[in-house]
């Protein structure tokens, strides 16, 4: 989940020549579950620039009887634990998003973790699992080919890459909003002049129309932020997911 790369960057020389692309999974979620994580995001890293964020998407095989999220919820309530869902791994934001969704919908579903989105998507296509929680880019090809059906996106608003897909909130769970984000971080101790210079250049690139179009086409949203604002988002999301995991009662032992 990127934790090895983050750990290497955290102990790199603070020269400004080493940056790492971190995301919510390895900077917020992993510290909640891994007992012996080799880094502390807020102690060992400096925020540099947010690149973008993206909602998740819940999809089912085209042969699924569930045409929308309401039908899947009704089936899960009628037969608790009968609905299975795949994710790219235990303790990922995709996994936790469904646990939060199930908690708020007051249903019980069974998690089937995979080692990555590829095998999870393969078993969804074959009908081995009922639903897959994934990033939009990882399923876009199969979605466009009509091999899977999208039930919902997890953001507060619909996503421009799949505007026809309703949000979870639109389908009965008001206020539901889960997105993942991607941003550049540096080892602690890099001079602020370097941090600010990189931030300025990243934000300049994000303002380019071709760059924005490329990110939007993959289901993302460009999100230029200052280093300080990215640091605040890291802190806010750490509090949010700590409370969300506590609410669901989810307990994992990931080593």
């Amino acid at each position: 989940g990127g934790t090895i790369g983050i750990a290497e960057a955290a102990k790199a020389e603070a020269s400004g020549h080493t940056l790492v692309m971190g995301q919510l999974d390895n900077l917020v979620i992993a510290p909640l579950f891994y007992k012996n994580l080799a880094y502390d995001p807020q102690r060992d890293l400096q925020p540099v620039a947010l690149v973008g964020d993206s909602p998740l998407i819940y999809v089912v095989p085209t042969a699924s009887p569930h045409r929308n999220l309401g039908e899947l919820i009704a089936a899960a309530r009628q037969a608790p634990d009968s609905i299975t869902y795949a994710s790219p791994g235990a303790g990922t934001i995709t996994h936790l998003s469904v646990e939060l969704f199930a908690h708020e919908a007051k249903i019980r579903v069974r998690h089937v973790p995979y080692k990555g989105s590829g095998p999870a998507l393969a078993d969804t296509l074959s009908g081995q699992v009922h639903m897959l929680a994934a990033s939009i880019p990882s399923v876009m090809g199969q979605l466009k080919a009509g091999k899977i059906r999208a039930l919902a996106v997890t953001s507060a608003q619909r996503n421009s890459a799949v505007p026809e897909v309703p949000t979870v909130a639109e389908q009965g769970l008001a206020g539901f909003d889960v997105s993942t984000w991607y941003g550049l971080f540096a080892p602690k101790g890099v001079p602020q002049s370097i941090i600010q210079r990189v931030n300025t250049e990243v934000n300049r690139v994000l303002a380019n129309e071709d760059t924005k179009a490329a990110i939007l086409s993959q289901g993302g949203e460009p999100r230029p932020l200052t280093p300080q604002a990215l640091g605040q988002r890291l802190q806010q999301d750490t509090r949010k997911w700590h409370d969300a995991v506590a609410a669901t009662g989810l307990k994992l032992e990931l080593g």
Side-chain angles (χ1 to χ4, degrees):
T3 57
I4 295 173
I6 297 288
E8 289 299 310
K11 64 185 181 184
E13 181 182 355
S15 62
H17 292 282
T18 297
L19 299 174
V20 65
M21 183 73 83
Q23 58 175 303
L24 191 140
D25 267 343
N26 46 47
L27 295 177
V28 174
I29 304 302
L32 291 175
F33 292 119
Y34 283 91
K35 294 183 292 185
N36 299 312
L37 202 61
Y39 58 88
D40 179 323
Q42 300 188 49
R43 180 195 66 207
D44 301 328
L45 296 169
Q46 288 177 265
V48 178
L50 186 65
V51 173
D53 59 24
S54 175
L56 306 174
I57 191 167
Y58 298 159
V59 300
V60 296
T62 51
S64 169
H66 311 306
R67 313 288 307 182
N68 53 58
L69 208 54
E71 292 181 358
L72 185 137
I73 290 172
R77 286 177 177 166
Q78 185 174 5
D81 293 320
S82 64
I83 300 294
T84 57
Y85 75 93
S87 82
T92 59
I93 186 61
T94 46
H95 171 206
L96 295 188
S97 76
V98 181
E99 292 297 322
L100 184 60
F101 152 67
H103 175 74
E104 296 192 5
K106 297 179 173 57
I107 59 174
R108 294 208 318 262
V109 291
R110 287 190 293 132
H111 180 217
V112 184
Y114 287 80
K115 292 182 178 179
S117 57
L121 176 59
D123 273 10
T124 304
L125 289 167
S126 66
Q128 297 297 309
V129 289
H130 296 102
M131 186 179 84
L132 167 66
S135 65
I136 293 177
S138 68
V139 299
M140 185 67 84
Q142 303 292 354
L143 197 58
K144 287 182 176 179
K147 295 183 178 180
I148 51 176
R149 180 189 312 127
L151 298 186
V153 291
T154 61
S155 48
Q157 289 83 37
R158 294 196 184 197
N159 185 268
S160 58
V162 284
E164 72 285 359
V165 181
T167 66
V168 173
E170 284 181 77
Q171 300 181 74
L173 296 182
F176 192 91
D177 183 11
V178 173
S179 293
T180 189
W181 47 258
Y182 309 85
L184 288 172
F185 287 76
K188 189 71 80 176
V190 173
Q192 282 302 310
S193 59
I194 295 177
I195 298 291
Q196 191 56 56
R197 172 67 188 275
V198 176
N199 177 270
T200 298
E201 293 301 323
V202 170
N203 291 346
R204 181 181 62 81
V205 171
L206 291 176
N208 178 276
E209 291 302 321
D210 289 342
T211 303
K212 288 196 286 188
I215 294 174
L216 289 168
S217 72
Q218 293 297 309
E221 298 278 351
R223 299 289 187 205
L225 286 181
T226 64
Q228 294 76 18
L230 176 55
Q232 290 170 358
R233 180 158 187 183
L234 176 63
Q235 293 176 0
Q236 291 167 355
D237 279 351
T238 298
R239 290 193 295 270
K240 169 185 173 178
W241 283 103
H242 178 277
D243 293 344
V245 169
T248 62
L250 186 66
K251 296 185 185 300
L252 295 178
E253 294 293 336
L254 298 182

